Amino acid sequence: TLKNNISLTTYINYNRYLNKFSKFAKNPNLYFQDITVSYLKDYEHFIRNTQKNSNSSAEFAFKIVKIFFNHA
């Protein structure tokens, strides 16, 4: 699993950002085909405006999404 290959700090950060994504998604049955460019733009708006994240935090949030896409 991914948890066994990363540090505890990294795991905690990943989990925190995945929780942000889950808060946005509001759908426990989200499929990869549901995540479109438009969906990701809505997520970007959510993390930048609703969550009030800085540019670096928003970029990191997308980095985490990319890592999990690649790992899946």
Side-chain angles (χ1 to χ4, degrees):
T1 65
L2 186 60
K3 184 178 178 182
N4 295 330
N5 297 322
I6 58 175
S7 73
L8 178 60
T9 303
T10 301
Y11 176 78
I12 290 168
N13 278 329
Y14 284 6
N15 199 30
R16 183 177 55 169
Y17 279 90
L18 286 174
N19 283 337
K20 284 184 183 188
F21 188 79
S22 294
K23 187 183 279 190
F24 165 76
K26 299 178 187 171
N27 181 358
N29 299 315
L30 187 67
Y31 296 101
F32 282 110
Q33 62 265 23
D34 297 330
I35 303 173
T36 62
V37 171
S38 176
Y39 190 88
L40 291 174
K41 285 182 180 183
D42 290 345
Y43 177 56
E44 180 180 21
H45 182 269
F46 172 79
I47 58 178
R48 288 184 188 272
N49 298 306
T50 304
Q51 296 287 310
K52 305 289 187 206
N53 288 175
S54 67
N55 285 340
S56 60
S57 292
E59 290 169 8
F60 191 71
F62 274 92
K63 179 181 176 183
I64 301 304
V65 169
K66 180 180 176 183
I67 288 169
F68 279 86
F69 259 70
N70 289 337
H71 189 74

